[in-house]
Amino acid sequence: WRASRRLELVRIRELLRLGLPAALQLLVEIMAFTVTAILIGRLGALALAGHQIALNVASFTYMVPLGIGSAAAVRVGHAYGARDSAGATRAGWMAIFFGQAFMFCAALVLILFPKYIARIYSPQPEVISMGAKLLMVAAVFQLFDGMQAVVTGALRGAGNTRTPMMAHLLGYWMIGMPLGAFFCFKLGW
């Protein structure tokens, strides 16, 4: 109760310097997944059902590297604050290793058992088939998505929130979305 209640503009500016790019990075990522679902809806109910299965499963497995990324932010931040660059580097690389190891195992499960997983979501053979095909894509995609979650956490621990924001903006909106729309709607893939 004795803490100062006056605004400290220097601290507020520092919070905004770190927080705004992190918030924009999340916004850019969430918007990309939302727009993708809307675009897939143009392909019909079956494609959208398969997409929902793959996205739900990938979101489930994504929680582990997201947690590892949060832990990396703390460990890297502690080491960075203690001016222990070797410790920060070690924490970052170990987080990447464990995140990728988990996502590799999850990808293996998706590749080996896609129809069994899709059957959890629907008894319809067409939906199972579409979901199983998209789970194979999700198996590959999640390796990279898991890594970006861990690396983003490690960079946040080092106080770098702009690089992940720019990478997401470039990767999702300048490369991924235009290429995906081109391949799908122009080339019919």
Side-chain angles (χ1 to χ4, degrees), residues 16-34:
L16 290 175
R17 184 188 72 76
L18 291 171
L20 283 178
L24 287 173
Q25 175 255 316
L26 289 170
L27 178 66
V28 163
E29 185 174 353
I30 291 167
M31 282 177 50
F33 281 93
T34 302

Side-chain angles (χ1 to χ4, degrees), residues 89-127:
T89 301
R90 191 172 47 255
W93 281 111
M94 288 308 295
I96 290 170
F97 171 77
F98 284 114
Q100 283 303 100
F102 175 82
M103 289 309 257
F104 178 79
C105 292
L108 204 55
V109 169
L110 296 184
I111 289 169
L112 293 175
F113 307 107
K115 288 189 177 184
Y116 295 106
I117 295 168
R119 196 172 287 133
I120 293 169
Y121 291 88
S122 175
Q124 297 174 326
E126 307 86 22
V127 174

